[in-house]
Amino acid sequence: MADACAPAPVVLLSGANRGIGAAIVNELLPHGYRLSLGARDPATLAAAFGPETARVLHAHFDAFEPASAEGWVTATIEKFGRIDVLINNAGSNEKVSLLEDDDAALDRLWAVNVKAPLRLTRLCVPHLERTGRGRIINIASMSGKRVRNPFVGYNMTKFAVMGLTHTTRHVTWDQGIRATAICPSFVRTDMTRESTKIGREDMIAPETLARIVRNTIELPNNAATAEVLVNCRLEDML
């Protein structure tokens, strides 16, 4: 991402303890990145990756606790002095169908999938701006591009993530920040374990998605990628 004389880039990654998040950690660490990892229980980060080091910070981050976002960003700056990349990966696929009246579940989806990424974006933009080539990666979904299931809550929030990403692109472009929505279909993680629409062996490997994330981070400012659609089955839109 940076030349050899520049300090190692610092990545702030939510939902880092498992699934896509854990794959991103394992992809970035060997390439010299410094990582600020957020999870509801930091002990899960230690269990997944070992103890903190000079290159890795474990932090408490709970989408339902706005103060945890502020504390996490502050701790990151205190340890590393900068933030180069924000990856909004934490998400929920709690099921709320169109004709189901479950406002509490819908509120939880909005809190995790939309409000938390927006909050972290607001907190990180001043630090990303200072780098001259800050990056924001929002892990969205193909369900934010088209609808193929009845779960209106998930679909609505993922469409909202696309709106967040494109608004961020417009607002921060002149500050050298590039925002990208990465939209996978089925990824072989715990979130898709109950899915029967496609065999698990045919789903996207989280390690593949992690490589796409790193490639997107490392593109130069004059090769900005607004959306990356990643599918494991044929669809006309691709």
Side-chain angles (χ1 to χ4, degrees):
M1 178 180 177
D3 61 56
C5 297
V10 175
V11 177
L12 191 137
L13 168 65
S14 67
N17 57 311
R18 61 179 181 170
I20 295 170
I24 293 172
V25 173
N26 292 326
E27 174 68 25
L28 295 183
L29 268 179
H31 289 86
Y33 287 84
R34 294 179 287 173
L35 304 180
S36 178
L37 308 179
R40 295 180 72 177
D41 181 2
T44 62
L45 297 168
F49 309 114
E52 289 183 315
T53 68
R55 291 178 54 205
V56 179
L57 170 69
H58 296 168
H60 168 66
F61 170 66
D62 189 329
F64 301 110
E65 300 174 7
S68 70
E70 297 174 10
W72 179 19
V73 171
T74 297
T76 302
I77 294 301
E78 289 176 350
K79 183 177 178 73
F80 297 120
R82 60 189 291 142
I83 297 173
D84 297 82
V85 181
L86 165 64
I87 304 177
N88 284 308
N89 169 69
S92 169
N93 66 342
E94 188 169 2
K95 294 175 174 56
V96 177
S97 297
L98 180 66
L99 302 181
E100 178 182 0
D101 186 8
D102 191 345
D103 281 350
L106 185 59
D107 287 345
R108 288 193 294 271
L109 280 167
W110 280 99
V112 175
N113 291 354
V114 184
K115 295 178 72 174
L118 172 58
R119 186 175 298 114
L120 284 171
T121 297
R122 287 170 169 164
L123 290 167
C124 288
V125 159
H127 304 290
L128 297 170
E129 181 179 352
R130 294 188 188 104
T131 73
R133 52 160 294 119
R135 295 290 181 267
I136 298 174
I137 305 293
N138 292 326
I139 304 299
S141 171
M142 287 295 292
S143 290
K145 296 295 296 179
R146 69 355 177 206
V147 173
R148 296 189 66 172
N149 65 63
F151 304 119
V152 67
Y154 184 78
N155 296 333
M156 288 169 62
T157 59
K158 289 304 182 179
F159 268 82
V161 170
M162 302 306 291
L164 168 61
T165 304
H166 285 287
T167 303
T168 303
R169 290 181 65 244
H170 280 278
V171 172
T172 64
W173 181 273
D174 290 341
Q175 288 72 47
I177 298 172
R178 300 294 180 261
T180 303
I182 296 184
C183 306
S185 57
F186 294 97
V187 182
R188 197 183 309 137
T189 66
D190 289 344
M191 288 182 71
T192 57
R193 189 164 297 281
E194 297 180 2
S195 177
T196 58
K197 291 186 177 181
I198 187 170
R200 291 191 67 75
E201 68 279 3
D202 294 322
M203 294 182 181
I204 302 162
E207 294 78 14
T208 300
L209 207 65
R211 290 199 299 274
I212 293 170
V213 169
R214 182 169 68 85
N215 180 69
T216 304
I217 289 171
E218 294 177 353
L219 290 172
N221 277 12
N222 59 1
T225 305
E227 301 178 4
V228 180
L229 278 58
V230 188
N231 215 329
C232 53
R233 58 183 178 177
L234 179 64
E235 293 192 44
D236 290 343
M237 65 186 303
L238 296 179

